[in-house]
Amino acid sequence: MIQINDVSAAYRREKALELQVRDRKLVEQKLSQERALFISGPTVVLTWTMQPEWKVDYISPNILQQIGYKDSCFLDQEIYFPGLAHPDDIDHLLEIIEVNSGSNNSFFEQEFRLENSQGEYRWIYNFTTIHRDKNGQITKYLGYLLDITERKQFQEKIERHAFFDELTGLPNRRLFLDRLKRELVRARRRSYMGDLFFIDLDRFKQINDILGHDTGDLLLQHVAILLLGCLRQEDTAARIGGDEFVVILSDIGKELEPATQNALRVAEKIRNSLGEKHYLNGKEINSTPSIGIVTFSSQDNVSADDLLRFADTAMYRAKNDGRNQIRFFSPEMQNRVDEQVHLEKLLRKALEKKEFSLNFQPIFDDKNEIISAEALLRWEHPKKGNISPAEFIPVAEETGMILPLGEWVLREACKTLKNWETGGPENGGFFLPRIAINVSPKQFRQSSFVSQVKKTLEEFQLDPCRLEIELTEGVVIADVDDTIRKMHALKSLGISISIDDFGTGYSSLAYLIKLPIDVLKIDQSFVRDITCDKNNSVIVKTIISMAQHLKMNVIAEGVETEAQLKHLAIQGCRIFQGYLFSKPLVSEEFAEFYSEHKEYPKRSRSNF
């Protein structure tokens, strides 16, 4: 007789078994769905063995979507899988497999390029697990392949922006410095010499201003191509800003003399190539490079930044020596740079401590009357004494300190002119018709320059016709349109304009006719030898004749002898300045000189 309890127990076992089967089927169904999703997704599953030959045992069908080949092509060995790898990647791909297989690693990762059925290479990421038996022998490899081409392209784009110049495609400053650091390490390890070139295009700003930035950009791109054409594959050319290029010459010798000769030969090749006429955008462009070179060796303990600074210093020497030159760096150059840096610091303090002053050199007409004076900047340092304007003005220009300095000169000259006038005759006061001040290129190019001059004249209640602005020819030529606008604005106020050191710059008749110039000042280099050098005499005579036809006044600078004065007067010059009449004087001395000259005009000249 069957017990109720036994039936109940059997029923529960049967029910439990039914539930287990159902759950198992649900799990299998879920796994099948997930497997189907995995196989149809972007990741390709691959198993293979290496012995006796690379043999694919399984590859998921979605390989068709990834590279355009059916799985059967690999299973039937119609296609050798490693044969699809890029020639530059195959050795590294096999090396990673070999190294990890022999070192008991359980997995490895790699990135390589595979050729698809269209003949295009796609970037693949591969994660592979290594399966081994109990004896450690490899039984199979299980790999997961993912197409990462889009990610790679995005990375390359980011890296290109980070490390390459967008305009020329050359390495930028960041990548260049990294390569230079690596090159220095390599030079020390392998005991060879190399060179760093710093190349700057001469007068590139003028090309930009005159022909436009589009043409300037075309020139920079053309220069980049020409540079690469002058170098070996192992060398580096980079653009580090504006019109500045650098070149690293790698392993050019082990001894200084042959290395120097090799560098010079490459530099000459670059100079000749970049110095040829360029035809861009339908325009003929003449451009030349200034090249600074510094040599480095395994013995040098210098940083990449120091080398770049040295090459830059040599490049500036090339520019100062007339442009389109090649100069090698020397320690003496750096000493000069260090002196300039020190001078810059002194200059900043001098502005704060008011160490500057003005001297005034009188200007005479042919009746021996003082008709004007030129204000000349002087710097008396408490320890170094008198520092020449030829020494500190270029530094002030380069650093931008010329702007506050130039503004101070303008105000101080106007203030002095007013003080002379308001002192009254009883206190040694007098009326000087006009005062001339030198204006630097940067000061003149300021958009606020004309309003600044106007404001200063109003502050000291001076008639604008009593002020004369002296400009050099270089300032005038640099940006003719801007020059014309500013000159007409100054002229409309009543201010006179003179060209200083005439004959030493461009001396273009075109700008003389276009611009509202009142005075030409003949440079003292022509006056100095006027009595013994026929060429100088002819130049001076030509300038005077030309000025007369254009209804301009002429001032002869640097008149030091009676013979010079007589020669100039015969040629038609009527206004003079120089030590024959007076040296530059401080304000109080000038007032005394003016007063004495009024009383004893002939004696005054012989006394100075």
Side-chain angles (χ1 to χ4, degrees):
M1 183 176 179
I2 298 174
Q3 298 293 324
I4 297 292
N5 288 341
D6 293 337
V7 173
S8 177
Y11 176 76
R12 285 195 302 273
R13 284 195 299 272
E14 185 180 336
K15 202 69 178 173
L17 184 60
E18 183 183 332
L19 289 171
Q20 286 178 9
V21 171
R22 189 193 70 183
D23 290 345
R24 184 183 180 89
K25 285 183 177 180
L26 287 172
V27 169
E28 287 177 352
Q29 183 181 3
K30 187 174 182 182
L31 286 171
S32 180
Q33 290 172 345
E34 289 181 352
R35 182 174 178 274
L37 284 171
F38 183 78
I39 290 173
S40 63
T43 304
V44 171
V45 181
L46 170 74
T47 64
W48 81 91
T49 56
M50 293 288 287
Q51 300 296 335
E53 186 66 37
W54 181 304
K55 182 178 182 299
V56 176
D57 298 321
Y58 171 80
I59 189 166
S60 55
N62 60 343
I63 188 68
L64 179 65
Q65 285 78 39
Q66 191 172 91
I67 60 173
Y69 294 109
K70 292 182 179 180
D71 55 341
S72 59
C73 295
F74 300 97
L75 297 173
D76 297 341
Q77 297 186 339
E78 294 175 15
I79 296 176
Y80 180 56
F81 189 87
L84 297 177
H86 193 284
D88 293 344
D89 299 342
I90 183 63
D91 290 341
H92 188 55
L93 183 153
L94 296 175
E95 182 186 355
I96 288 178
I97 296 173
E98 184 181 341
V99 169
N100 284 278
S101 299
S103 60
N104 293 321
N105 288 341
S106 59
F107 69 91
F108 60 85
E109 298 175 274
Q110 55 189 168
E111 293 180 0
F112 52 86
R113 287 162 288 182
L114 278 185
E115 185 179 10
N116 65 16
S117 59
Q118 304 298 314
E120 300 170 343
Y121 283 99
R122 306 289 294 179
W123 274 101
I124 303 297
Y125 166 76
N126 173 31
F127 179 86
T128 295
T129 58
I130 304 173
H131 294 254
R132 304 175 191 269
D133 61 19
K134 62 182 180 180
N135 297 319
Q137 297 299 310
I138 296 173
T139 57
K140 69 175 178 180
Y141 297 88
L142 173 60
Y144 302 89
L145 309 178
L146 183 65
D147 190 320
I148 58 169
T149 303
E150 282 72 23
R151 192 194 81 190
K152 274 286 189 180
Q153 289 172 343
F154 182 72
Q155 281 180 338
E156 286 174 6
K157 189 175 180 181
I158 294 298
E159 286 177 4
R160 190 139 200 93
H161 279 293
F163 297 109
F164 289 88
D165 174 52
E166 191 172 348
L167 180 66
T168 63
L170 295 177
N172 61 13
R173 177 183 283 267
R174 183 178 177 184
L175 181 56
F176 155 72
L177 284 172
D178 179 69
R179 289 189 181 178
L180 182 56
K181 289 171 185 175
R182 292 172 185 269
E183 182 63 26
L184 290 174
V185 171
R186 200 158 41 240
R188 293 185 191 111
R189 189 187 304 128
R190 299 180 185 176
S191 300
Y192 65 69
M193 305 187 97
D195 276 284
L196 175 63
F197 292 8
F198 198 116
I199 304 166
D200 186 270
L201 302 184
D202 301 327
R203 299 189 178 94
F204 179 73
K205 184 180 183 302
Q206 287 177 290
I207 293 171
N208 255 347
D209 291 344
I210 296 169
L211 300 179
H213 289 271
D214 289 344
T215 302
D217 287 349
L218 283 175
L219 177 60
L220 293 174
Q221 291 170 337
H222 189 56
V223 165
I225 294 169
L226 292 175
L227 266 181
L228 292 174
C230 296
L231 304 177
R232 303 166 299 175
Q233 191 173 357
E234 61 265 35
D235 300 325
T236 294
R239 179 184 176 222
I240 60 173
D243 60 332
E244 295 176 338
F245 295 83
V246 285
V247 167
I248 304 171
L249 292 186
S250 176
D251 193 2
I252 57 167
K254 296 186 181 297
E255 300 295 332
L256 181 59
E257 188 171 343
T260 301
Q261 290 303 315
N262 289 335
L264 187 58
R265 187 170 60 252
V266 176
E268 287 286 5
K269 187 178 179 182
I270 291 172
R271 183 172 69 163
N272 292 335
S273 180
L274 270 56
E276 291 179 353
K277 289 180 180 178
H278 312 291
Y279 295 93
L280 304 171
N281 214 11
K283 299 168 184 173
E284 180 184 307
I285 300 172
N286 293 299
S287 176
T288 56
S290 292
I291 305 174
I293 304 175
V294 61
T295 301
F296 56 88
S297 71
S298 58
Q299 308 301 317
D300 295 331
N301 187 25
V302 293
S303 67
D305 289 328
D306 284 340
L307 272 182
L308 185 60
R309 185 162 50 88
F310 295 158
D312 187 28
T313 298
M315 183 276 292
Y316 271 106
R317 171 59 64 87
K319 277 202 177 295
N320 291 336
D321 288 351
R323 298 186 177 92
N324 194 25
Q325 302 291 327
I326 299 168
R327 291 293 179 268
F328 281 84
F329 173 79
S330 67
E332 291 75 21
M333 287 185 189
Q334 191 57 42
N335 291 339
R336 177 61 182 156
V337 171
D338 291 341
E339 287 174 9
Q340 291 218 336
V341 170
H342 180 61
L343 186 63
E344 181 183 336
K345 291 178 182 177
L346 294 179
L347 198 55
R348 293 187 187 279
K349 289 180 181 178
L351 276 169
E352 296 169 8
K353 296 180 179 180
K354 300 179 180 178
E355 295 173 2
F356 294 102
S357 63
L358 287 183
N359 280 7
F360 302 90
Q361 187 168 33
I363 297 172
F364 288 76
D365 64 11
D366 56 350
K367 298 180 180 64
N368 203 25
E369 294 290 333
I370 300 175
I371 58 170
S372 181
E374 181 180 359
L376 300 167
L377 184 61
R378 295 292 182 261
W379 178 13
E380 188 71 28
H381 188 268
K383 291 183 179 177
K384 297 174 77 71
N386 183 46
I387 299 177
S388 168
E391 193 174 348
F392 71 80
I393 290 295
V395 177
E397 275 278 355
E398 189 177 335
T399 58
M401 284 186 284
I402 196 69
L403 297 179
L405 197 53
E407 188 176 354
W408 178 85
V409 169
L410 173 63
R411 293 193 76 259
E412 191 67 17
C414 290
K415 177 183 171 184
T416 303
L417 189 62
K418 191 65 178 179
N419 287 343
W420 284 335
E421 180 185 343
T422 54
E426 65 281 1
N427 296 316
F430 59 95
F431 181 88
L432 184 68
R434 182 174 293 158
I435 196 162
I437 63 166
N438 292 279
V439 172
S440 77
K442 279 192 177 179
Q443 188 182 3
F444 186 73
R445 293 291 166 223
Q446 280 185 296
S447 58
S448 60
F449 175 69
V450 176
S451 59
Q452 184 186 100
V453 172
K454 183 180 178 183
K455 183 181 176 182
T456 305
L457 289 169
E458 289 172 349
E459 179 186 351
F460 294 103
Q461 299 179 333
L462 287 174
D463 187 333
C465 70
R466 298 179 67 191
L467 179 65
E468 184 176 299
I469 300 291
E470 289 193 11
L471 303 170
T472 61
E473 293 178 79
V475 178
V476 173
I477 281 294
D479 186 343
V480 175
D481 291 337
D482 180 62
T483 300
I484 290 173
R485 281 194 302 272
K486 283 197 173 80
M487 280 191 172
H488 280 296
L490 292 168
K491 288 288 291 180
S492 68
L493 296 175
I495 296 167
S496 297
I497 297 166
S498 67
I499 301 300
D500 197 17
D501 302 334
F502 186 77
T504 59
Y506 297 91
S507 303
S508 169
L509 294 177
Y511 82 73
L512 285 180
I513 295 168
K514 276 185 180 181
L515 301 174
I517 298 167
D518 299 287
V519 180
L520 297 181
K521 299 190 75 172
I522 302 173
D523 187 67
Q524 58 184 331
S525 61
F526 297 118
V527 174
R528 186 180 304 117
D529 300 324
I530 195 172
T531 58
C532 56
D533 188 320
K534 289 183 179 179
N535 291 330
N536 279 359
S537 180
V538 170
I539 290 171
V540 169
K541 186 175 182 179
T542 304
I543 293 172
I544 293 170
S545 177
M546 179 178 59
Q548 288 172 346
H549 280 89
L550 295 173
K551 295 184 169 47
M552 298 176 187
N553 288 320
V554 176
I555 300 177
E557 296 183 291
V559 182
E560 297 181 351
T561 67
E562 292 285 353
Q564 291 169 348
L565 177 63
K566 184 177 179 181
H567 196 99
L568 288 163
I570 291 171
Q571 291 186 336
C573 186
R574 297 290 177 261
I575 308 175
F576 314 95
Q577 177 183 352
Y579 274 70
L580 175 65
F581 300 91
S582 171
K583 66 180 182 181
L585 306 165
V586 298
S587 174
E588 295 78 9
E589 290 174 338
F590 187 91
E592 291 176 12
F593 176 83
Y594 188 91
S595 175
E596 183 183 352
H597 181 77
K598 279 290 182 183
E599 191 169 354
Y600 308 105
K602 290 184 179 178
R603 212 184 95 196
S604 295
R605 183 191 297 177
S606 61
N607 283 349
F608 289 88

